[in-house]
Amino acid sequence: MIYFDNAATTKPCEESVKAVCEALKTNWSNPSSLHSLGLKAERTVSLSREIIAKSLDADSECIYFTSGATESNNLAIFSTVKTLGRHKKKIVTTAIEHPSVSQPIKYLEENGFEVVYVTPNKSGEINSADIISAVDGNTCLVTCQLVNNETGYILPVAKAYKAIKRLYPKVITHCDCVQGFMKMNVKASSLNADLISISGHKIYAPKGVGALYVKKGVRVLPVNFGGGQEKGIRSGTEAVPNIAGFGAAVDVLLNSIDERYEKMCEISSYLCKQTETVDGVTINKFSESSPYIASVTVDNIKSETLLHYLEQKGIYVSSGSACSKGKKSDVLKAFGYDDKTLDSTIRLSFSHENQKSEIDEFVKQVKNAQAELVKIK
Ligand code: PMP
């Protein structure tokens, strides 16, 4: 099997699986229980919190566990609207956000908020100046992702947020860091974000766990109510096994981000080199992009057809993003892809386990597909 769908999800690493199993078997108590078993579970949660805080160069009290980045994004957005949105009715975002950001924002737009969607320019890139100039005194929230999940494009978040914080210190800056976390060096302070969303299953931890970083001094209000866990911000018994697995996965990556990044650069450059001379194949490039994600257009073959063709050959890719499930991607449209390109673009997303030989096999099978598949009119 050649797995090129790591932006959709990753295979949990050994260390993470071990931590999950251990917690399930021997550490299954409720971390809120006052007895020693509860204390043991609480210690596990605390340890993971410390590891995740360290990865962002933050204090552990700034980390709130959630069920994943979808929940973190919703919490960040609706909490901000609760704290500031009564008087400030404007939100600035981009046209290329993941649905877990774009859908809550759409809901708010339908319910009285003015939303500015900053759109990529002709080169498919977003200027920090466009984000900055969209913000004004009536803005409660700016929310931009760090790395686009469909193309790998890296947005100028740190630069934009630095200027925004200088001009409007009270505006809440939120960043969906899911596709950048533990893949690039993301530090809370250099990102200038008040709130940061991260997810476990994109970094070799289990599904169903994520976190929201909240900068010290930033007020967050809960959007669900219950037992008051996570300092009242996210009620619900903590998913100790998942949290243990999350911490274990981050711990493995802590000292190897740069090394893995280098390897990904080699893999993605190799893909570019090997496809350079293949007619009808384009790697869609940006001035800043994550080597973990490649957007590949194969002319005249529908992306879903190619996806299933490759699957038969044991190669797993994605058409757009896993979340868009075959629907034409609004995000790729916003990037300026024309209809024909939209229909023929797949996403490859890598992990450290991928090898150049797998790229060779991919290129070989794409050439076979070009020879075999019926062309769209
Ligand atoms: N944001 C981005 C950029 C993503 O790629 C994803 C996952 N596809 C999410 C948010 C949602 O993360 P989760 O699956 O943890 O809810």
Side-chain angles (χ1 to χ4, degrees):
M1 170 171 99
I2 298 177
Y3 187 71
F4 286 153
D5 202 13
N6 290 280
T9 201
T10 52
K11 180 178 136 200
C13 64
E14 285 301 321
E15 291 82 351
S16 178
V17 171
K18 194 168 161 239
V20 172
C21 292
E22 215 165 280
L24 282 169
K25 283 187 198 158
T26 66
N27 197 5
W28 41 261
S29 186
N30 189 325
S32 297
S33 291
L34 294 180
H35 48 66
S36 58
L37 296 179
L39 216 65
K40 187 178 169 201
E42 168 53 25
R43 254 189 250 118
T44 297
V45 171
S46 294
L47 182 63
S48 284
R49 203 187 304 281
E50 275 165 30
I51 295 167
I52 288 157
K54 191 172 166 198
S55 74
L56 290 169
D57 207 11
D59 269 10
S60 57
E61 65 201 62
C62 299
I63 305 297
Y64 295 83
F65 286 114
T66 64
S67 63
T70 297
E71 189 185 342
S72 303
N73 286 339
N74 275 266
L75 175 58
I77 292 164
F78 288 110
S79 161
T80 301
V81 162
K82 268 179 139 183
T83 51
L84 299 177
R86 236 174 104 196
H87 303 295
K88 298 186 175 196
K89 293 283 179 198
K90 185 172 170 185
I91 296 170
V92 174
T93 186
T94 77
I96 55 172
E97 297 299 311
H98 184 269
S100 57
V101 168
S102 62
Q103 290 301 313
I105 298 288
K106 189 173 160 220
Y107 170 85
L108 290 168
E109 191 175 22
E110 288 163 359
N111 284 278
F113 280 79
E114 178 197 351
V115 179
V116 178
Y117 296 92
V118 181
T119 312
N121 61 22
K122 278 200 179 123
S123 329
E125 285 155 16
I126 284 184
N127 289 321
S128 57
D130 290 342
I131 305 173
I132 300 160
S133 65
V135 179
D136 62 20
N138 195 33
T139 307
C140 58
L141 171 71
V142 186
T143 173
C144 302
Q145 62 190 185
L146 182 62
V147 176
N148 179 261
N149 52 301
E150 297 194 38
T151 61
Y153 171 56
I154 302 174
L155 287 83
V157 176
K159 192 172 171 199
Y161 284 7
K162 188 173 179 192
I164 289 165
K165 277 291 177 189
R166 209 175 42 228
L167 293 165
Y168 303 99
K170 289 197 174 136
V171 170
I172 296 294
T173 50
H174 167 246
C175 184
D176 173 351
C177 272
V178 168
Q179 299 291 350
F181 177 62
M182 300 318 286
K183 295 177 178 164
M184 348 181 348
N185 277 307
V186 178
K187 299 295 171 225
S189 57
S190 46
L191 202 56
N192 304 299
D194 294 316
L195 307 170
I196 297 174
S197 301
I198 55 176
S199 177
H201 73 107
K202 313 289 184 177
I203 56 141
Y204 322 103
K207 287 150 200 57
V209 65
L212 182 69
Y213 156 88
V214 180
K215 189 179 172 180
K216 270 190 196 159
V218 172
R219 191 160 164 246
V220 172
L221 293 175
V223 295
N224 71 328
F225 298 86
Q229 290 87 346
E230 297 298 287
K231 290 186 262 172
I233 284 172
R234 198 276 184 177
S235 279
T237 305
E238 295 88 343
V240 182
N242 284 354
I243 291 171
F246 193 11
V250 170
D251 200 33
V252 170
L253 297 171
L254 267 180
N255 294 316
S256 59
I257 293 179
D258 293 341
E259 195 186 308
R260 284 168 197 252
Y261 195 87
E262 282 300 307
K263 184 173 178 200
M264 289 309 105
C265 288
E266 274 177 34
I267 294 275
S268 62
S269 311
Y270 190 69
L271 171 70
C272 291
K273 195 168 144 255
Q274 297 309 96
T275 48
E276 234 166 40
T277 53
V278 184
D279 270 353
V281 177
T282 312
I283 312 296
N284 302 297
K285 288 202 199 118
F286 306 89
S287 61
E288 295 286 337
S289 56
S290 165
Y292 280 85
I293 298 179
S295 168
V296 182
T297 305
V298 181
D299 291 347
N300 300 326
I301 305 178
K302 282 202 167 178
S303 51
E304 255 190 271
T305 310
L306 182 58
L307 180 151
H308 291 303
Y309 179 91
L310 292 171
E311 184 187 4
Q312 283 171 12
K313 313 288 176 190
I315 303 172
Y316 295 83
V317 301
S318 165
S319 61
S321 79
C323 310
S324 50
K325 283 222 165 124
K327 208 175 101 240
K328 261 192 193 161
S329 162
D330 288 335
V331 168
L332 293 186
K333 251 186 249 174
F335 270 107
Y337 289 37
D338 60 35
D339 270 359
K340 218 166 150 234
T341 310
L342 269 179
D343 272 346
S344 304
T345 299
I346 57 167
R347 177 185 73 182
L348 268 59
S349 46
F350 308 116
S351 85
H352 57 281
E353 290 192 352
N354 291 127
Q355 303 296 334
K356 285 182 181 167
S357 57
E358 295 179 327
I359 299 285
D360 291 335
E361 182 61 19
F362 167 77
V363 175
K364 182 178 136 196
Q365 294 303 345
V366 166
K367 284 182 188 164
N368 288 344
Q370 285 177 315
E372 283 174 38
L373 292 176
V374 184
K375 307 262 157 85
I376 40 177
K377 286 178 203 137

